[in-house]
Amino acid sequence: MQRAAERDQHDRREQREQRVKGLHRVLVCAAAVPVMLIASGCSSDSGSDDGAGDSAKAPASASATASPSPTVQAAAYKSLPQSCKVLSKKTLEDLVPEAKSGKAGSSDDASSRASCSWSSLDNNGVKGSQFRWLNVSLLRFDSDVTSGSADKLAREYYETQTQDARSVSGAKNTKSEPVAGVGDEATAVRYDLKKKEGAFKQETVVARVENVVVTVDYNGAGLAGEKTPSADALDKLARKAAKEAVAAVREANGGGSAGTPSSAPSKSASESAPKSPSGSASKAAASSPSKSAPKRS
């Protein structure tokens, strides 16, 4: 009986020890869980900090220098002379001896576009008459960041004017050649044109000086039986007029000087004058104050 009681106590003691051991394992595991969570949390925070650091550094490494604003060479000439005063009195007497005064063309901006024409009729009665007509047009271009430099625009318009002079409808015996000593470049075009009034001789000189294009149109005819004027004589006078007009442009701008780069364009040629072929060549030809065909008063 006593042994049975001792066995019973022994069994209960072992069961109690087993429960204690089990509880100990639970407590140990429970204590380990926060450590793991803390370790995991630290690991997560560390990764987050690294990412934040990378993102903080990114703007500095990814930042790029802002692109500079586009620039274009500024126009050399900023103004035009008075169109009806570009030729001397002596030259006008040689070209249009009977002209009383010049007639200025209309312009919405005299600093960019101007023209003047003169008409002369030397009436000899029954012996006939000598007719002369002269027109000088001046077209100045400004630089534009979109269209390009003023010189470039002027060169393109110069080419357009020259081609227009070579392509007049009904012209006969057309001859074209470069002219030395007139501006930066110049071309003389001559041709014959038959009209009901008589046989006309046409001389056109197109010259470019920096960003300005000068066009001289000069024609003459012998009317009512008067002899037709010499094409060589008219050509010589037209070249003289072109040279004087170019000199007047230079003088009006103090001789001119190379421009300096500018990021902001001045008033563009598209606003103040007909555009060059790179913009709209057809408008340039249509809007020019000069004409290639002979005129009568």
Side-chain angles (χ1 to χ4, degrees), residues 53-257:
D54 292 342
S55 62
K57 294 177 182 179
S61 60
S63 62
T65 304
S67 299
S69 300
T71 61
V72 63
Q73 191 75 12
Y77 293 155
K78 301 296 185 181
S79 61
L80 293 176
Q82 294 184 43
S83 58
C84 291
K85 294 184 178 181
V86 295
L87 302 180
S88 67
K89 183 178 179 180
K90 177 62 170 63
T91 297
L92 288 173
E93 288 176 351
D94 291 340
L95 274 76
V96 283
E98 298 300 319
K100 301 303 180 183
S101 62
K103 181 180 179 181
S106 61
S107 174
D108 56 356
D109 185 357
S111 69
S112 294
R113 178 169 57 189
S115 67
C116 191
S117 61
W118 297 262
S119 182
S120 173
L121 182 62
D122 183 10
N123 194 341
N124 295 320
V126 294
K127 294 182 179 180
S129 303
Q130 283 291 332
F131 171 76
R132 299 290 185 272
W133 180 79
L134 171 67
N135 186 86
V136 178
S137 71
L138 311 167
L139 195 61
R140 186 185 67 83
F141 290 87
D142 275 316
S143 295
D144 183 271
V145 293
T146 302
S147 302
S149 70
D151 276 12
K152 169 182 170 290
L153 298 173
R155 282 194 299 270
E156 291 172 345
Y157 184 70
Y158 164 81
E159 294 293 340
T160 298
Q161 284 290 83
T162 302
Q163 186 56 40
D164 286 349
R166 296 188 187 111
S167 309
V168 173
S169 177
K172 302 293 184 181
N173 305 318
T174 301
K175 180 182 178 181
S176 175
E177 62 183 11
V179 180
V182 179
D184 297 315
E185 55 185 335
T187 300
V189 181
R190 67 167 69 178
Y191 56 85
D192 300 334
L193 193 63
K194 184 71 174 178
K195 296 174 67 72
K196 64 180 181 180
E197 296 90 348
F200 283 80
K201 297 289 185 180
Q202 171 74 29
E203 304 291 331
T204 297
V205 179
V206 184
R208 181 186 68 83
V209 53
E210 298 285 359
N211 56 306
V212 176
V213 177
V214 175
T215 304
V216 173
D217 285 304
Y218 183 50
N219 63 61
L223 307 178
E226 185 67 50
K227 66 179 181 180
T228 301
S230 165
D232 289 339
L234 296 182
D235 178 69
K236 183 178 180 180
L237 290 172
R239 294 184 188 213
K240 179 182 179 182
K243 189 171 184 178
E244 278 193 23
V246 165
V249 172
R250 284 176 170 152
E251 185 177 354
N253 290 274
S257 61

